[in-house]
Coordinates of all heavy atoms in Angstrom, one line a residue:
I5 N 3.9 11.0 1.2 CA 5.2 11.6 1.3 C 5.1 13.0 1.9 O 4.2 13.8 1.5 CB 5.8 11.6 -0.1 CG1 6.0 10.2 -0.7 CG2 7.1 12.3 -0.1 CD1 6.3 10.1 -2.1
V7 N 5.5 16.8 2.3 CA 5.7 17.9 1.4 C 5.7 19.2 2.3 O 5.1 19.2 3.3 CB 4.7 18.0 0.3 CG1 4.8 16.9 -0.7 CG2 3.3 18.1 0.9
N8 N 6.5 20.2 1.8 CA 6.6 21.4 2.6 C 5.6 22.4 2.0 O 4.8 22.1 1.1 CB 8.0 22.0 2.5 CG 8.5 22.3 1.1 OD1 7.7 22.8 0.3 ND2 9.7 22.0 0.8
V10 N 5.9 25.2 0.4 CA 6.1 25.7 -1.0 C 5.5 24.6 -2.0 O 4.9 25.0 -3.0 CB 7.6 26.0 -1.2 CG1 7.9 26.3 -2.7 CG2 8.1 27.1 -0.4
E11 N 5.8 23.4 -1.7 CA 5.3 22.3 -2.6 C 3.7 22.3 -2.6 O 3.1 22.0 -3.6 CB 5.8 20.9 -2.2 CG 7.3 20.8 -2.4 CD 7.9 19.6 -1.8 OE1 7.7 19.3 -0.6 OE2 8.6 18.8 -2.5
I12 N 3.1 22.5 -1.4 CA 1.7 22.6 -1.3 C 1.1 23.7 -2.1 O 0.1 23.6 -2.9 CB 1.2 22.7 0.2 CG1 1.6 21.4 0.9 CG2 -0.3 22.9 0.2 CD1 1.5 21.5 2.4
A13 N 1.8 24.9 -2.1 CA 1.3 26.0 -2.8 C 1.5 26.0 -4.3 O 0.7 26.4 -5.1 CB 2.0 27.3 -2.2
F14 N 2.7 25.4 -4.7 CA 3.1 25.5 -6.1 C 3.2 24.1 -6.8 O 3.6 24.1 -8.0 CB 4.3 26.3 -6.3 CG 4.2 27.7 -5.8 CD1 4.8 28.1 -4.6 CD2 3.5 28.6 -6.5 CE1 4.7 29.4 -4.1 CE2 3.4 30.0 -6.1 CZ 4.0 30.3 -4.9
G15 N 3.0 23.1 -6.1 CA 3.2 21.7 -6.6 C 4.5 21.2 -6.3 O 5.5 21.9 -6.2
G16 N 4.5 19.9 -6.0 CA 5.8 19.3 -5.6 C 6.3 18.5 -6.8 O 5.9 18.7 -8.0
N17 N 7.3 17.6 -6.5 CA 7.9 16.8 -7.5 C 7.0 15.7 -7.9 O 6.8 14.7 -7.2 CB 9.2 16.2 -6.9 CG 10.0 15.3 -7.9 OD1 9.4 14.8 -8.9 ND2 11.2 15.0 -7.5
M18 N 6.4 15.8 -9.1 CA 5.4 14.8 -9.5 C 5.9 13.4 -9.8 O 5.2 12.4 -9.6 CB 4.7 15.3 -10.8 CG 3.8 16.5 -10.6 SD 2.5 16.3 -9.4 CE 3.1 17.3 -8.1
L21 N 5.6 12.2 -6.2 CA 4.3 12.2 -5.6 C 3.2 11.5 -6.3 O 2.3 11.0 -5.7 CB 3.9 13.7 -5.4 CG 4.8 14.5 -4.4 CD1 4.3 16.0 -4.5 CD2 4.7 14.0 -3.0
A67 N -1.1 13.0 4.5 CA -1.8 12.5 3.3 C -2.5 13.6 2.5 O -2.4 13.7 1.3 CB -2.8 11.5 3.7
L68 N -3.2 14.5 3.2 CA -3.9 15.6 2.5 C -2.9 16.6 1.9 O -3.2 17.1 0.8 CB -4.9 16.3 3.5 CG -6.0 15.4 4.0 CD1 -6.9 16.2 5.0 CD2 -6.9 14.9 2.9
N69 N -1.8 16.9 2.6 CA -0.8 17.7 2.0 C -0.2 17.1 0.8 O 0.1 17.9 -0.2 CB 0.3 18.1 3.0 CG -0.2 19.0 4.1 OD1 -1.2 19.7 3.9 ND2 0.5 19.1 5.2
H70 N 0.0 15.8 0.8 CA 0.5 15.1 -0.4 C -0.4 15.4 -1.6 O 0.0 15.7 -2.7 CB 0.6 13.6 -0.1 CG 1.2 12.8 -1.2 ND1 2.0 11.7 -0.9 CD2 1.0 12.8 -2.5 CE1 2.3 11.1 -2.0 NE2 1.7 11.7 -3.0
I71 N -1.7 15.2 -1.4 CA -2.7 15.4 -2.4 C -2.8 16.9 -2.8 O -2.9 17.2 -4.0 CB -4.1 14.9 -1.9 CG1 -4.1 13.4 -1.6 CG2 -5.2 15.2 -3.0 CD1 -3.8 12.5 -2.7
K72 N -2.7 17.8 -1.9 CA -2.8 19.2 -2.2 C -1.6 19.6 -3.1 O -1.7 20.4 -4.1 CB -2.7 20.1 -1.0 CG -4.0 20.0 -0.2 CD -3.8 20.8 1.1 CE -4.9 20.7 2.1 NZ -4.7 21.3 3.4
A73 N -0.4 19.0 -2.9 CA 0.8 19.3 -3.7 C 0.6 18.8 -5.1 O 1.1 19.5 -6.1 CB 2.0 18.7 -3.1
I74 N -0.1 17.7 -5.3 CA -0.4 17.3 -6.7 C -1.4 18.2 -7.3 O -1.2 18.6 -8.5 CB -0.9 15.8 -6.6 CG1 0.2 14.9 -6.1 CG2 -1.4 15.4 -8.0 CD1 -0.3 13.4 -5.8
M75 N -2.5 18.5 -6.6 CA -3.6 19.3 -7.2 C -3.1 20.7 -7.6 O -3.6 21.3 -8.5 CB -4.7 19.3 -6.2 CG -5.4 18.0 -6.1 SD -6.8 18.0 -4.9 CE -8.0 18.9 -5.7
S76 N -2.1 21.2 -6.9 CA -1.7 22.6 -7.2 C -0.6 22.6 -8.3 O -0.2 23.7 -8.7 CB -1.1 23.3 -5.9 OG 0.0 22.6 -5.4
S77 N -0.1 21.5 -8.7 CA 0.9 21.5 -9.8 C 0.3 21.7 -11.1 O -0.8 21.3 -11.5 CB 1.6 20.1 -9.7 OG 2.5 20.0 -10.8
F78 N 1.1 22.4 -12.0 CA 0.7 22.6 -13.4 C 1.3 21.5 -14.3 O 0.9 21.5 -15.5 CB 1.2 24.0 -13.9 CG 0.4 25.1 -13.2 CD1 1.0 25.8 -12.2 CD2 -0.9 25.4 -13.6 CE1 0.3 26.8 -11.6 CE2 -1.6 26.4 -13.0 CZ -1.0 27.2 -12.0
K85 N -3.8 13.9 -13.0 CA -3.9 14.3 -11.6 C -5.1 13.8 -10.9 O -5.1 13.3 -9.8 CB -3.9 15.9 -11.5 CG -2.6 16.5 -11.7 CD -2.5 17.9 -11.3 CE -3.4 18.9 -12.1 NZ -3.1 20.3 -11.8
C89 N -4.8 11.3 -7.8 CA -5.3 11.7 -6.5 C -6.4 10.7 -6.0 O -6.4 10.4 -4.8 CB -5.8 13.1 -6.6 SG -4.4 14.3 -6.7

Side-chain angles (χ1 to χ4, degrees):
I5 296 170
V7 293
N8 61 40
V10 172
E11 292 171 307
I12 294 168
F14 300 106
N17 179 344
M18 291 303 107
L21 296 174
L68 296 177
N69 286 343
H70 182 145
I71 300 299
K72 288 175 189 176
I74 295 169
M75 291 176 74
S76 65
S77 175
F78 290 102
K85 288 195 290 188
C89 288

